[in-house]
Amino acid sequence: MLRSYIVTPQDLSDALHQENQAQESASRIIPLCASWFLPNDPQGRTGLQVFKQKRIPSARFFDLDAVKDHESPYPHMLPTAESFAKAMREMGIRRDDEIVVYDSQELGIFSAPRVGWTLRVFGHTRVHILNNFKLWVEQGYPTESGEIHTKAEVEGHYPIPNSNSDMVVRFAEMKQNAKDYHKEGSDYMQVLDARPHGRWAGTDPEPRPGLPSGHMPGSISVPLNELLDPTSKTLLSGNDLKKVFESKGIDPKQPIISSCGTGVTAAVVDAALSEADFGKPDDKRLYDGSWT
């Protein structure tokens, strides 16, 4: 029903209405809240807290702090295929469901693209990003609040998937890429950093104690806020996003790696590149773990 990766509130509302009108449907449209806040959030908010306060009816909650690699010392590394499948079953999500991931009303677009990217890494291709829940609320679409209890699906409904390692950049490759910067004849890959410019420049602190700010050699500062409308906090149009990338001197013919603090907002850059149709599809990847 939904044809593009980035969808509007109207798109989602129409798709849900069509699904409700259908006599039978082989799959379901599942709104998936991916709200998450930085550890130094001034109000101490959590994703689960805002999910309970206001959400799209029948939405599920994806906890970025829970669905991850718990063996890693880094905050948000990809989970194993087994733990990913287990989490999907516990959320009551089936393999053939069409998922629309969305962020908190407060942030607009922030962590939802990371969850969308995670689903695609594990082969769940029927996934979209809502642009955005802030507009969903302001435009008068329905919401609900309170606790939600989801009956877990039987194991066969979400089998353990394969993962697409081609979408992910690992530490060893990133380390070599940094060494290759300015080296004649090297295959240096462009690194786009979604953190605020001050953190990239080393003038503002990182939100995690003990972690210095600064940036990888040769990386390009593409702050998240430059990719969003300042009022609606929606992702900019494809044409406007293309202008942002061009203004940074990014070459669409060369490989691109998206990065940030822990790999969350890097996925916003990745989604923006896709929306702008900027860069080669097979040469755009995300650095899992990023600056940490």
Side-chain angles (χ1 to χ4, degrees):
M1 295 183 190
L2 296 165
R3 297 177 181 175
S4 60
Y5 186 52
I6 307 297
V7 300
T8 67
Q10 182 72 59
D11 292 335
L12 175 56
S13 177
D14 289 348
L16 290 170
H17 179 72
Q18 290 172 17
E19 181 184 59
N20 290 335
Q21 295 298 310
Q23 295 273 332
E24 294 182 7
S25 179
S27 65
R28 307 169 299 176
I29 296 174
I30 305 290
L32 183 61
C33 176
S35 296
W36 180 79
F37 296 88
L38 288 167
N40 65 341
D41 180 64
Q43 300 175 43
R45 295 168 295 184
T46 68
L48 184 59
Q49 180 185 54
V50 298
F51 171 74
K52 290 179 179 179
Q53 289 173 350
K54 188 179 292 182
R55 62 177 176 267
I56 296 173
S58 300
R60 318 294 165 84
F61 178 69
F62 190 106
D63 189 347
L64 268 173
D65 287 326
V67 188
K68 64 178 184 178
D69 181 358
H70 290 275
E71 300 297 317
S72 172
Y74 306 112
H76 296 117
M77 302 297 284
L78 281 167
T80 64
E82 291 81 3
S83 60
F84 172 79
K86 181 175 182 289
M88 296 296 273
R89 290 194 295 268
E90 289 175 348
M91 287 182 280
I93 294 175
R94 300 195 297 249
R95 185 72 174 176
D96 60 352
D97 286 335
E98 191 161 11
I99 310 298
V100 179
V101 194
Y102 71 93
D103 266 296
S104 67
Q105 182 181 354
E106 294 87 345
L107 298 182
I109 294 287
F110 189 67
S111 48
R114 168 69 189 201
V115 173
W117 177 80
T118 299
L119 265 67
R120 289 189 294 129
V121 166
F122 287 109
H124 199 120
T125 56
R126 301 187 70 203
V127 60
H128 313 271
I129 305 300
L130 179 64
N131 198 23
N132 56 22
F133 185 52
K134 184 176 186 293
L135 284 188
W136 177 277
V137 174
E138 291 175 355
Q139 293 174 2
Y141 293 106
T143 61
E144 64 180 17
S145 60
E147 298 288 339
I148 183 170
H149 302 284
T150 303
K151 183 179 178 181
E153 300 292 333
V154 297
E155 186 166 343
H157 281 152
Y158 213 102
I160 296 172
N162 295 319
S163 62
N164 184 358
S165 59
D166 291 341
M167 295 176 63
V168 188
V169 178
R170 304 296 182 184
F171 174 72
E173 184 180 4
M174 203 68 179
K175 185 177 179 180
Q176 186 61 50
N177 191 60
K179 289 180 178 179
D180 287 344
Y181 179 61
H182 269 334
K183 191 177 290 184
E184 188 175 351
S186 70
D187 294 322
Y188 179 78
M189 295 172 284
Q190 301 168 105
V191 179
L192 313 188
D193 193 325
R195 292 175 300 156
H197 185 78
R199 288 167 58 190
W200 176 88
T203 56
D204 293 339
E206 289 292 312
R208 292 169 180 81
L211 186 66
S213 56
H215 61 271
M216 301 171 219
S219 69
I220 302 168
S221 178
V222 185
L224 167 67
N225 67 291
E226 294 186 18
L227 305 176
L228 305 182
D229 180 273
T231 302
S232 66
K233 299 182 182 178
T234 53
L235 197 65
L236 296 173
S237 69
N239 285 336
D240 286 341
L241 289 168
K242 185 177 181 181
K243 291 176 184 177
V244 171
F245 296 132
E246 289 174 340
S247 74
K248 304 284 183 179
I250 301 163
D251 186 350
K253 297 179 181 178
Q254 297 301 316
I256 298 173
I257 298 172
S258 299
S259 182
C260 60
T262 65
V264 174
T265 56
V268 180
V269 174
D270 186 72
L273 288 166
S274 296
E275 185 70 2
D277 194 20
F278 194 92
K280 300 177 183 177
D282 295 336
D283 271 344
K284 293 181 288 189
R285 296 183 293 159
L286 189 147
Y287 178 31
D288 200 22
S290 292
W291 180 247
T292 55

PDB file of all heavy atoms in Angstrom, residues 8 10 12 23-24 49 57 74 92 125 163 231 241 279:
ATOM      1  N   THR A   8       4.132  10.286   4.425  1.00  0.00           N
ATOM      2  CA  THR A   8       3.497  11.385   5.153  1.00  0.00           C
ATOM      3  C   THR A   8       2.399  10.841   6.072  1.00  0.00           C
ATOM      4  O   THR A   8       1.949   9.700   5.908  1.00  0.00           O
ATOM      5  CB  THR A   8       2.863  12.376   4.171  1.00  0.00           C
ATOM      6  OG1 THR A   8       1.759  11.730   3.505  1.00  0.00           O
ATOM      7  CG2 THR A   8       3.877  12.863   3.139  1.00  0.00           C
ATOM      8  N   GLN A  10      -0.673  11.614   5.908  1.00  0.00           N
ATOM      9  CA  GLN A  10      -1.798  11.307   5.018  1.00  0.00           C
ATOM     10  C   GLN A  10      -1.625   9.940   4.374  1.00  0.00           C
ATOM     11  O   GLN A  10      -2.577   9.152   4.282  1.00  0.00           O
ATOM     12  CB  GLN A  10      -1.920  12.378   3.930  1.00  0.00           C
ATOM     13  CG  GLN A  10      -3.094  12.170   2.968  1.00  0.00           C
ATOM     14  CD  GLN A  10      -4.436  12.445   3.603  1.00  0.00           C
ATOM     15  OE1 GLN A  10      -4.678  13.552   4.072  1.00  0.00           O
ATOM     16  NE2 GLN A  10      -5.316  11.450   3.642  1.00  0.00           N
ATOM     17  N   LEU A  12       0.005   7.359   5.553  1.00  0.00           N
ATOM     18  CA  LEU A  12      -0.226   6.313   6.554  1.00  0.00           C
ATOM     19  C   LEU A  12      -1.701   6.212   6.900  1.00  0.00           C
ATOM     20  O   LEU A  12      -2.247   5.102   6.995  1.00  0.00           O
ATOM     21  CB  LEU A  12       0.594   6.600   7.818  1.00  0.00           C
ATOM     22  CG  LEU A  12       0.361   5.639   8.989  1.00  0.00           C
ATOM     23  CD1 LEU A  12       0.613   4.188   8.587  1.00  0.00           C
ATOM     24  CD2 LEU A  12       1.228   6.026  10.178  1.00  0.00           C
ATOM     25  N   GLN A  23     -11.638  -6.776   3.242  1.00  0.00           N
ATOM     26  CA  GLN A  23     -12.252  -7.957   3.845  1.00  0.00           C
ATOM     27  C   GLN A  23     -11.187  -8.854   4.468  1.00  0.00           C
ATOM     28  O   GLN A  23     -11.307  -9.308   5.586  1.00  0.00           O
ATOM     29  CB  GLN A  23     -13.017  -8.736   2.765  1.00  0.00           C
ATOM     30  CG  GLN A  23     -14.208  -7.982   2.188  1.00  0.00           C
ATOM     31  CD  GLN A  23     -15.462  -8.187   3.002  1.00  0.00           C
ATOM     32  OE1 GLN A  23     -15.624  -9.208   3.648  1.00  0.00           O
ATOM     33  NE2 GLN A  23     -16.357  -7.211   2.961  1.00  0.00           N
ATOM     34  N   GLU A  24     -10.143  -9.107   3.694  1.00  0.00           N
ATOM     35  CA  GLU A  24      -9.041  -9.931   4.165  1.00  0.00           C
ATOM     36  C   GLU A  24      -7.734  -9.287   3.733  1.00  0.00           C
ATOM     37  O   GLU A  24      -7.653  -8.660   2.688  1.00  0.00           O
ATOM     38  CB  GLU A  24      -9.125 -11.351   3.586  1.00  0.00           C
ATOM     39  CG  GLU A  24     -10.333 -12.138   4.067  1.00  0.00           C
ATOM     40  CD  GLU A  24     -10.342 -13.556   3.505  1.00  0.00           C
ATOM     41  OE1 GLU A  24      -9.342 -13.933   2.867  1.00  0.00           O
ATOM     42  OE2 GLU A  24     -11.340 -14.258   3.725  1.00  0.00           O
ATOM     43  N   GLN A  49       8.452   6.324  27.900  1.00  0.00           N
ATOM     44  CA  GLN A  49       7.621   7.306  28.598  1.00  0.00           C
ATOM     45  C   GLN A  49       6.748   8.085  27.618  1.00  0.00           C
ATOM     46  O   GLN A  49       5.532   8.212  27.809  1.00  0.00           O
ATOM     47  CB  GLN A  49       8.527   8.265  29.375  1.00  0.00           C
ATOM     48  CG  GLN A  49       7.802   9.343  30.150  1.00  0.00           C
ATOM     49  CD  GLN A  49       8.767  10.325  30.793  1.00  0.00           C
ATOM     50  OE1 GLN A  49       9.629  10.911  30.132  1.00  0.00           O
ATOM     51  NE2 GLN A  49       8.658  10.477  32.102  1.00  0.00           N
ATOM     52  N   PRO A  57      -2.613   4.820  17.370  1.00  0.00           N
ATOM     53  CA  PRO A  57      -3.354   3.646  17.848  1.00  0.00           C
ATOM     54  C   PRO A  57      -2.775   2.327  17.329  1.00  0.00           C
ATOM     55  O   PRO A  57      -2.421   2.209  16.148  1.00  0.00           O
ATOM     56  CB  PRO A  57      -4.767   3.891  17.303  1.00  0.00           C
ATOM     57  CG  PRO A  57      -4.872   5.391  17.248  1.00  0.00           C
ATOM     58  CD  PRO A  57      -3.510   5.862  16.834  1.00  0.00           C
ATOM     59  N   TYR A  74      29.804  -0.833  23.371  1.00  0.00           N
ATOM     60  CA  TYR A  74      29.279   0.371  22.723  1.00  0.00           C
ATOM     61  C   TYR A  74      27.754   0.376  22.764  1.00  0.00           C
ATOM     62  O   TYR A  74      27.112  -0.677  22.761  1.00  0.00           O
ATOM     63  CB  TYR A  74      29.816   0.466  21.300  1.00  0.00           C
ATOM     64  CG  TYR A  74      31.329   0.383  21.277  1.00  0.00           C
ATOM     65  CD1 TYR A  74      31.969  -0.726  20.724  1.00  0.00           C
ATOM     66  CD2 TYR A  74      32.111   1.377  21.854  1.00  0.00           C
ATOM     67  CE1 TYR A  74      33.350  -0.829  20.738  1.00  0.00           C
ATOM     68  CE2 TYR A  74      33.490   1.286  21.876  1.00  0.00           C
ATOM     69  CZ  TYR A  74      34.109   0.178  21.321  1.00  0.00           C
ATOM     70  OH  TYR A  74      35.471   0.072  21.345  1.00  0.00           O
ATOM     71  N   GLY A  92       5.001  -8.635  18.774  1.00  0.00           N
ATOM     72  CA  GLY A  92       3.846  -9.096  18.023  1.00  0.00           C
ATOM     73  C   GLY A  92       3.917  -8.766  16.557  1.00  0.00           C
ATOM     74  O   GLY A  92       2.900  -8.583  15.887  1.00  0.00           O
ATOM     75  N   THR A 125      12.155  -5.808   4.391  1.00  0.00           N
ATOM     76  CA  THR A 125      12.176  -4.740   3.386  1.00  0.00           C
ATOM     77  C   THR A 125      10.905  -3.886   3.377  1.00  0.00           C
ATOM     78  O   THR A 125      10.929  -2.757   2.894  1.00  0.00           O
ATOM     79  CB  THR A 125      12.396  -5.328   1.988  1.00  0.00           C
ATOM     80  OG1 THR A 125      11.375  -6.310   1.730  1.00  0.00           O
ATOM     81  CG2 THR A 125      13.759  -5.999   1.894  1.00  0.00           C
ATOM     82  N   SER A 163      21.355 -11.517   7.861  1.00  0.00           N
ATOM     83  CA  SER A 163      21.640 -10.078   7.888  1.00  0.00           C
ATOM     84  C   SER A 163      22.439  -9.691   6.654  1.00  0.00           C
ATOM     85  O   SER A 163      23.191 -10.499   6.109  1.00  0.00           O
ATOM     86  CB  SER A 163      22.407  -9.691   9.152  1.00  0.00           C
ATOM     87  OG  SER A 163      23.662 -10.340   9.199  1.00  0.00           O
ATOM     88  N   THR A 231      10.794  24.157  11.569  1.00  0.00           N
ATOM     89  CA  THR A 231       9.506  24.289  12.257  1.00  0.00           C
ATOM     90  C   THR A 231       8.810  22.946  12.440  1.00  0.00           C
ATOM     91  O   THR A 231       8.463  22.555  13.554  1.00  0.00           O
ATOM     92  CB  THR A 231       8.575  25.232  11.474  1.00  0.00           C
ATOM     93  OG1 THR A 231       9.221  26.507  11.329  1.00  0.00           O
ATOM     94  CG2 THR A 231       7.258  25.423  12.219  1.00  0.00           C
ATOM     95  N   LEU A 241      17.367  18.377   0.072  1.00  0.00           N
ATOM     96  CA  LEU A 241      18.422  17.549   0.642  1.00  0.00           C
ATOM     97  C   LEU A 241      19.610  17.447  -0.315  1.00  0.00           C
ATOM     98  O   LEU A 241      20.773  17.498   0.109  1.00  0.00           O
ATOM     99  CB  LEU A 241      17.880  16.147   0.948  1.00  0.00           C
ATOM    100  CG  LEU A 241      16.903  16.062   2.115  1.00  0.00           C
ATOM    101  CD1 LEU A 241      16.221  14.699   2.131  1.00  0.00           C
ATOM    102  CD2 LEU A 241      17.604  16.304   3.450  1.00  0.00           C
ATOM    103  N   GLY A 279      24.052   9.683  -4.586  1.00  0.00           N
ATOM    104  CA  GLY A 279      25.027   8.625  -4.399  1.00  0.00           C
ATOM    105  C   GLY A 279      24.577   7.315  -5.019  1.00  0.00           C
ATOM    106  O   GLY A 279      23.395   7.109  -5.307  1.00  0.00           O
TER     107      GLY A 279
END
